[in-house]
Amino acid sequence: MTGSAGNERKTSGPPPALLTGAVADALRATGGHTGGVYLCSATSRLLRLAVLAGLPGPLFRPWWRVHMDRPFPVADVYRTGVPVVLANATEMMRHYAQLAAGLPFQFGSLYVPVVADGRSFGVLSVLRPATADAAEVQAERERLTAVADALAVALLRLGADGVDVTWDEEPLCVRPPAAGPAPGRVGRFSWDPATDVVTLDEQARTLLGLPPDEFPGTLDALARAVDPTDAHRLPGLLHRTARGRPPPLPLQVRTTEGGLRLLELWDATGVAARPGDASAESADLPRPIAGVLLDPGPGALADGAADLLPEGVFCLDRLGLVVYANARAGHLLGVPRDRLVGRSLWEAVPWLNQPTVEEHLRGALLSPEPAHFHVRLPVTTDPSSVPRPYEGDWLRMSLYPGADLVTCKAVPAHRVPDDTAREPSETDAPAPDTTTPTTPFYRPIVLAIALTEAVTARQVSAVVMQELLPAFGGRRLAIYLLQERHLYLAWESGFPDGFLAPFEGVGLNTRLPGVETLTTGRPLFFDSMEQLADAYPGIDLDASEGARAFLPLIASGRPVGSCILGFDRPRSFGSEERTVLTALAGLIAHAMEKAQRYDTEAALARGLQQALLPRRLSQHARVETAGRYLPGTEGMDVGGDWYDVVEAGDGLALVIGDVQGHGVQAAATMGQLRSAVRAFALGDRPPEEVMGGTNHLLIDLDPGQFASCCYVRLDPATGLARAVRAGHLPPLLRHPDGRTEVVELAGGVVLGVDPGAHYPVTELRLEPGAILALYTDGLVERPGHDIDEGITTLRLALAGAGDGRPAAETDAGGPAADHPSDHPPGRTLADVADRLTATARQAADRADDIALLLATRRAAEVTHGKRAGHGP
């Protein structure tokens, strides 16, 4: 916990009132207790939390930024445009194990896209109590979608007016809307006796029953806002407090409507005013006064009894503000009660800024289950703190969640149970560096889960950058891998351009920290660049003054490489933090070793696949063909998609297929099927026999594996085509006038399933200038969308592929419309194939392989005396 967020307001971008209002509407619509909205950052592929309602921002800093490639619901919703509903923790673990590991509490959540007119602005989310009733959550999703749509329309208008609708600041942290007068509400105020200016925040005005923005801001106006019996004494109490003579705390006043309020006062200069403080009483000038106004709710009359309890009791609102504390709580925590109430817990009691407390507070704010844990009291060195009789001993803390408040109980624990973590020794690290954006004791399970989903060295490096670096507040990352006793850079982020170039390929005998951490197996930590320069005189340093951590990447005793973490500011590394970083380096090393094996296997598979795909398509004077193949970028990077053009008697056979799965096995099976189809086609066997024979071959080769296929036997002279398909997607046909249609072929089951399968033949005619398109599902499938939508998009793109518009406007991944146009002279079919795959080629992530085969007939007068064809 490192301070509060949301105190600063944006000077540009979406109005905060628009965003906070949308989140409030979302919570009202769903009955949720916490909500937020993520907007696109100016940084590519990054979403940032713009508003967080109902939770303390510092406790949830790890989720302020979400990369669009992370396996998180917010990222998935933004990428796919499809809402995600997680009714309970079980659903979260099933679908998002990494998020569940980071927030292992019982709650449900909903996420919907903020989209208008085809433009995606971000994601609106709500956290709610867990439930087993999925129908209930689905109904809430519809109401949440309506709120998100209204927000998207407003953002669209702002964007049209030239307003920047991205977000790159800390989130605005606000309270959720109250269903009614909520107990424990707290407002802040201040008074400067030199100017007689009284400042009230919005909550304080509400507690006093004052209309918004109609408070004159004077002491007399404040006195008029309370009951007449209290009005005459309030100015005098404030004046005496300003002179160092505060009243007994808390001071009880009533509003003009009779509502009981508790008034807490202190010196705004930061030094608490104490009764009997001689220096304060003799001050020549009155000092500014700050305070809080508290609505204690119906239990206020029991406050006196609470002060007599042996337990310390205090209450936190949903933003982590202490809204009540009895005398015993201040005594045990070592903080005067007047400095506890009205402040955030991590501001008032900084020694509670530790991972155990953070984790339990998160749980109490997200789930209804009470939490119990032990925390050790530090030895007091501040003379202004309240003396504690249990210094160095332990407190047993209990957290009891409520709808609006978390009630906390603290009691001395003279003996710590056996299951409690070890007592920290006097040599342990001091309190965490408050400049670090999250708890430094990052949960290794979160990184471990993320690494299981990374298969290439680049993906492993990206996970480290997205997960590990922010958790420790790092800004720079370099990963070197060992090859033939030299270290080569595999990934870098945040370092100045060219700075790491001199270190490329350094040998293991070089005296550099990145080398020595690997050769010795010991991590190296430097609190500042000055400390690094002292240890390694003459080493090149970048302009940063921050700390550095050099971690050895060693897997099962084998050296893999080294990892360098860089920080913008000097900082110290505690003993527990060093242990966690070293353990995480081991996880990274094992993931890198696995990735290197994968890269080797993938290279072999890609080589096998390239060898099996046709280098040149069979040609015919009356037919032009073009084929394209794009490997997937996820999984094994290679698969079983293929296409082919084979001479079949006096005609041509057009073939496309897709073997189930990816990797070497799928590529090998693809090669066997391609060879079988070619053999059948070269013998000019009828299409139904070609498909039937291939089906039997696959069943004999590998029972349990299957493939889809489409086979078209084309007569170039007449344009007659006889086609069969086995579970494959239907071809598309673009007529010479630009009209397009889906060719409905009577089909059979996929190959490799039924030895008695029948594959009926469908006849069609290909006119000169018409284009027949065969394709695999990778070109038309999009997560969260029906495949028919993808086929329609491809059909429209094919319709526009013959006109003069830029490829980006007519490719299969973008909008297109029917524009009748003949295949223009001079434009080859290869150009059309490139336009249809333009978006897919530019995509960084392709979940599946893509194969495309196009064929068109030329008119007789065009092809007289020519032989033409286009290979891949």
Side-chain angles (χ1 to χ4, degrees):
M1 296 177 287
T2 58
S4 60
N7 294 327
E8 299 295 329
R9 289 292 183 262
K10 285 177 69 69
T11 57
S12 62
L18 171 66
L19 302 178
T20 56
V23 174
D25 290 342
L27 295 178
R28 294 188 190 99
T30 60
H33 52 65
T34 300
V37 60
Y38 284 85
L39 295 179
C40 292
S41 165
T43 303
S44 176
R45 304 191 66 74
L46 187 68
L47 295 169
R48 292 190 71 116
L49 184 61
V51 173
L52 178 63
L55 290 174
L59 280 182
F60 294 85
R61 194 181 288 259
W63 297 275
W64 284 9
R65 303 178 351 142
V66 174
H67 197 277
M68 294 178 190
D69 295 330
R70 293 176 74 179
F72 275 23
V74 170
D76 283 353
V77 170
Y78 181 84
R79 288 198 316 270
T80 66
V82 178
V84 168
V85 177
L86 304 171
N88 48 52
T90 301
E91 287 295 307
M92 183 186 296
M93 179 60 75
R94 180 177 296 122
H95 299 287
Y96 296 97
Q98 188 176 337
L99 178 60
L103 294 172
F105 313 114
Q106 291 295 326
F107 67 94
S109 53
L110 301 88
Y111 310 83
V112 298
V114 180
V115 179
D117 196 23
R119 181 176 178 183
S120 182
F121 296 97
V123 177
L124 186 62
S125 64
V126 165
L127 308 186
R128 63 179 313 281
T131 179
D133 186 355
E136 174 189 348
V137 184
Q138 291 294 341
E140 293 176 0
R141 188 199 74 177
E142 298 302 322
R143 296 193 293 271
L144 184 62
T145 299
V147 176
D149 290 345
L151 173 60
V153 170
L155 292 173
L156 187 66
R157 292 197 193 102
L158 289 172
D161 293 337
V163 176
D164 179 14
V165 292
T166 62
W167 190 274
D168 280 292
E169 301 186 27
E170 291 187 353
L172 304 172
C173 297
V174 298
R175 288 178 174 80
R185 294 179 298 164
V186 64
R188 292 175 178 265
F189 75 92
S190 63
W191 175 58
D192 186 349
T195 61
D196 195 34
V197 173
V198 175
T199 303
L200 302 177
D201 68 5
E202 181 180 352
Q203 188 73 282
R205 290 196 299 268
T206 301
L207 292 174
L208 291 173
L210 296 172
D213 303 324
E214 293 185 12
F215 179 64
T218 64
L219 185 55
D220 287 342
L222 178 62
R224 289 195 298 271
V226 300
D227 186 89
T229 59
D230 295 321
H232 73 279
R233 63 191 183 100
L234 183 59
L237 289 170
L238 287 173
H239 278 287
R240 284 197 298 273
T241 302
R243 293 287 183 180
R245 292 174 293 167
L249 299 177
L251 172 67
Q252 296 187 6
V253 297
R254 293 189 179 272
T255 67
T256 54
E257 298 179 353
L260 178 64
R261 302 292 182 257
L262 301 181
L263 194 62
E264 302 272 1
L265 303 173
W266 61 85
D267 180 358
T269 62
V271 179
R274 298 174 181 274
D277 187 333
S279 62
E281 293 177 5
S282 62
D284 293 330
L285 296 176
R287 291 178 289 191
I289 295 301
V292 294
L293 195 68
L294 173 67
D295 170 15
L301 297 179
D303 285 347
D307 282 343
L308 300 177
L309 293 174
E311 300 93 352
V313 178
F314 59 98
C315 298
L316 306 175
D317 71 1
R318 295 203 64 82
L319 293 188
L321 199 71
V322 180
V323 297
Y324 170 77
N326 68 357
R328 183 65 164 164
H331 186 66
L332 288 174
L333 296 177
V335 180
R337 189 164 63 170
D338 60 321
R339 291 170 57 187
L340 187 60
V341 175
R343 288 170 167 78
S344 66
L345 182 63
W346 38 91
E347 177 186 355
V349 193
W351 60 268
L352 284 177
N353 294 354
Q354 47 186 284
T356 299
V357 180
E358 286 189 340
E359 188 75 359
H360 288 296
L361 276 176
R362 274 194 286 265
L365 289 163
L366 291 175
S367 69
E369 299 298 323
H372 308 280
F373 59 96
H374 287 75
V375 62
R376 194 181 192 191
L377 288 161
V379 177
T380 304
T381 58
D382 181 3
S384 67
S385 65
V386 175
R388 287 189 301 269
Y390 303 106
E391 288 185 357
D393 211 331
W394 294 78
L395 287 180
R396 175 174 171 81
M397 304 288 291
S398 298
L399 308 179
Y400 300 94
D404 299 303
L405 300 174
V406 176
T407 301
C408 310
K409 185 176 72 172
V411 296
H414 301 289
R415 183 178 66 84
V416 180
D418 294 338
D419 59 352
T420 301
R422 69 165 182 88
E423 295 187 11
S425 68
E426 294 181 359
T427 60
D428 277 356
D433 180 359
T434 57
T435 63
T436 304
T438 70
T439 169
F441 310 113
Y442 187 64
R443 295 159 59 91
I445 189 173
V446 176
L447 182 64
I449 293 174
L451 288 174
T452 61
E453 301 175 359
V455 292
T456 68
R458 185 171 184 81
Q459 289 172 345
V460 171
S461 301
V463 166
V464 176
M465 184 185 72
Q466 296 167 15
E467 298 293 340
L468 180 64
L469 207 60
F472 288 87
R475 295 292 183 269
R476 292 169 171 81
L477 172 68
I479 295 180
Y480 285 85
L481 296 180
L482 182 65
Q483 297 179 20
E484 298 179 352
R485 297 188 59 78
H486 289 77
L487 288 174
Y488 296 92
L489 186 65
W491 181 280
E492 68 167 306
S493 175
F495 285 94
D497 289 342
F499 172 74
L500 296 177
F503 305 104
E504 179 72 1
V506 296
L508 294 185
N509 58 347
T510 309
R511 190 173 186 273
L512 289 171
V515 174
E516 292 191 358
T517 190
L518 180 62
T519 56
T520 64
R522 293 184 294 103
L524 302 174
F525 299 94
F526 301 95
D527 296 350
S528 66
M529 297 298 278
E530 181 180 358
Q531 192 178 93
L532 174 60
D534 290 342
Y536 292 87
I539 189 175
D540 290 337
L541 303 176
D542 61 82
S544 169
E545 295 297 327
R548 290 289 184 272
F550 297 83
L551 307 175
L553 301 182
I554 299 175
S556 302
R558 294 184 297 275
V560 176
S562 59
C563 176
I564 304 171
L565 302 181
F567 303 83
D568 285 343
R569 304 176 185 176
R571 55 161 297 170
S572 59
F573 297 89
S575 59
E576 186 172 352
E577 189 176 13
R578 295 178 182 220
T579 300
V580 171
L581 279 170
T582 304
L584 294 178
L587 292 177
I588 297 168
H590 280 282
M592 274 295 184
E593 187 182 48
K594 181 185 71 174
Q596 288 177 314
R597 290 197 301 268
Y598 163 85
D599 288 338
T600 300
E601 182 181 354
L604 292 173
R606 282 192 294 270
L608 172 62
Q609 186 179 47
Q610 291 299 320
L612 294 174
L613 287 172
R615 294 182 178 274
R616 184 175 181 82
L617 301 179
S618 297
Q619 302 174 357
H620 193 282
R622 294 287 301 274
V623 179
E624 179 184 359
T625 58
R628 295 292 180 267
Y629 174 80
L630 301 175
T633 60
E634 299 179 7
M636 266 302 296
D637 228 15
V638 292
D641 291 20
W642 93 93
Y643 63 87
D644 208 351
V645 177
V646 188
E647 294 182 5
D650 56 358
L652 284 180
L654 311 173
V655 189
I656 198 161
D658 183 1
V659 177
Q660 173 205 24
H662 294 79
V664 175
Q665 180 61 43
T669 301
M670 175 268 285
Q672 292 172 309
L673 293 184
R674 175 174 174 261
S675 298
V677 172
R678 286 186 66 87
F680 289 132
L682 288 170
D684 202 14
R685 301 277 292 275
E688 64 272 26
E689 292 186 18
V690 173
M691 201 63 71
T694 307
N695 177 49
H696 282 284
L697 174 66
L698 181 55
I699 292 174
D700 293 339
L701 283 175
D702 189 357
Q705 191 165 25
F706 58 86
S708 67
C709 185
C710 184
Y711 180 94
V712 180
R713 201 279 187 186
L714 174 65
D715 185 339
T718 65
L720 178 65
R722 304 182 71 243
V724 294
R725 68 186 180 103
H728 203 80
L729 297 172
L732 300 178
L733 179 62
R734 183 185 190 273
H735 296 280
D737 60 2
R739 293 179 298 108
T740 58
E741 64 174 299
V742 178
V743 181
E744 297 297 343
L745 300 181
V749 299
V750 293
L751 304 175
V753 174
D754 181 8
H758 174 63
Y759 299 98
V761 177
T762 301
E763 292 189 353
L764 62 147
R765 191 167 297 277
L766 192 64
E767 300 294 336
I771 300 175
L772 183 67
L774 309 180
Y775 53 93
T776 57
D777 54 8
L779 188 59
V780 292
E781 276 189 333
R782 292 176 57 198
H785 293 263
D786 190 90
I787 196 169
D788 289 337
E789 296 180 25
I791 294 174
T792 299
T793 301
L794 179 62
R795 179 182 64 80
L796 296 176
L798 180 61
D803 60 30
R805 288 179 292 157
E809 298 182 10
T810 59
D811 62 51
D818 287 298
H819 289 271
S821 174
D822 291 332
H823 190 41
R827 172 165 290 170
T828 67
L829 205 61
D831 297 329
V832 177
D834 288 338
R835 291 163 70 86
L836 295 180
T837 56
T839 296
R841 285 198 309 273
Q842 296 164 5
D845 300 308
R846 288 189 298 273
D848 200 0
D849 301 0
I850 291 174
L852 172 70
L853 178 61
L854 303 179
T856 186
R857 289 179 64 226
R858 297 189 179 91
E861 61 273 15
V862 174
T863 60
H864 180 68
K866 294 182 179 179
R867 300 281 291 177
H870 293 274

